[in-house]
Amino acid sequence: MSAPAPDDARPALDGAPLFLLDELPAAALLDRDEVLVDGAEGRHAVDVVRLAPGEPVRVGDGRGALIEGVVVDAGPAGLRVRVTARHEVPAPEPEFLLVQALPKGDRGPLAVELATELGVDRVIPWAAARCVTRWREDRVDKGLAKWRAAARAAAKQSRRPRVPEVAGLMTTRQVCGELADVDLALVLHEQARRPLAGVELPASGTVAVVVGPEGGLTDGEVVALRAAGAQAVRLGPEVLRTSTAGAAALAALSARSRWS
């Protein structure tokens, strides 16, 4: 759905920055109510963004609850915001799930960042057979923490009221189990004959996009993914990096569903 035209009653909020708290006060409904943005978020708002009294802001919990307000005070304690409105933003449809094979180096957080900005709702890190990067047992938590931090930061940057969920690291067998429950599963493959642009998308439910590693999918993975109900599609004639292919696919899907 296209973004609505700016409301003359609240023009400044269209460009208001978004800050995320773990929880929002349940009673923050009236003009006299205030919310304190403290901790790291408060320091960022005051020291980096340099917000001042009178400026509009949004404060959310990353799960769809969203407060609109105006800065009352910005100081060492953080940001005090007078609440002007509160919303519960519904989850977008269809839901987008990205199954992302572990990219090499530090490109994993980049893949999550780009996917978040382009509409992903859930991300599954995938230990595909040809992944150069391997999360050893003692490094899984650290890897997941980086991916989740990237999703949160990108959600704030793109002003998304919902932070994408980053699931635990999965094997091919576990990924296939997840795909069995989605409404449409697409595997990006350079040799696929069917273009992504030609796939009919469901209006609701879950659309999954599977992105393999730099070395490509093994024959066994292709067979397993197809058995789980996934179909191979191609983005175009170019071969993209695994860290950018998912974002490109999500942009194409968003343009055909959420952005039209």
Side-chain angles (χ1 to χ4, degrees):
M1 181 179 295
S2 300
D7 185 347
D8 291 338
R10 296 182 300 157
L13 282 171
D14 292 338
L18 171 65
F19 299 95
L20 297 176
L21 301 177
D22 291 336
E23 298 289 341
L24 294 183
L29 295 173
L30 305 176
D31 285 354
R32 65 176 180 273
D33 289 329
E34 293 182 355
V35 173
L36 177 64
V37 181
D38 56 4
E41 286 288 83
R43 289 191 296 272
H44 181 76
V46 175
D47 298 334
V48 180
V49 184
R50 297 186 178 278
L51 288 174
E55 294 191 79
V57 294
R58 291 184 175 97
V59 184
D61 64 357
R63 298 181 296 278
L66 188 66
I67 282 174
E68 294 180 351
V70 178
V71 176
V72 175
D73 182 63
L79 204 68
R80 276 199 303 124
V81 178
R82 176 173 56 82
V83 177
T84 58
R86 182 185 177 105
H87 311 283
E88 289 291 335
V89 181
E93 291 189 318
E95 175 192 51
F96 291 150
L97 166 64
L98 174 64
V99 178
Q100 176 67 61
L102 300 181
K104 59 184 178 182
D106 295 327
R107 289 183 172 270
L110 172 64
V112 175
E113 175 185 335
L114 294 175
T116 299
E117 293 176 357
L118 291 164
V120 79
D121 301 295
R122 285 194 291 149
V123 180
I124 293 177
W126 175 29
R130 291 176 176 165
C131 286
V132 175
T133 295
R134 295 289 173 183
W135 286 356
R136 299 189 305 271
E137 186 174 350
D138 61 338
R139 296 181 63 85
V140 171
D141 289 345
K142 183 177 180 180
L144 289 175
K146 288 183 177 181
W147 283 37
R148 288 166 179 162
R152 185 179 179 88
K156 288 172 55 181
Q157 174 66 35
S158 53
R159 295 168 190 163
R160 290 186 58 181
R162 292 178 175 273
V163 177
E165 172 194 349
V166 177
L169 180 66
M170 293 192 184
T171 63
T172 299
R173 184 173 183 177
Q174 291 171 319
V175 165
C176 289
E178 293 286 327
L179 296 183
D181 294 329
V182 306
D183 298 272
L184 176 64
L186 305 171
V187 181
L188 302 186
H189 200 291
E190 61 189 82
Q191 296 179 358
R193 296 183 178 180
R194 191 176 188 186
L196 175 60
V199 176
E200 183 176 352
L201 302 180
S204 59
T206 300
V207 176
V209 176
V210 181
V211 180
E214 299 287 359
L217 302 171
T218 66
D219 291 342
E221 287 169 340
V222 172
V223 170
L225 293 169
R226 285 179 174 170
Q231 53 183 293
V233 296
R234 58 179 171 80
L235 279 173
E238 294 82 10
V239 177
L240 303 182
R241 287 182 178 272
T242 185
S243 54
T244 55
L250 289 163
L253 294 171
S254 292
R256 295 177 54 198
S257 55
R258 299 180 182 179
W259 297 349
S260 59

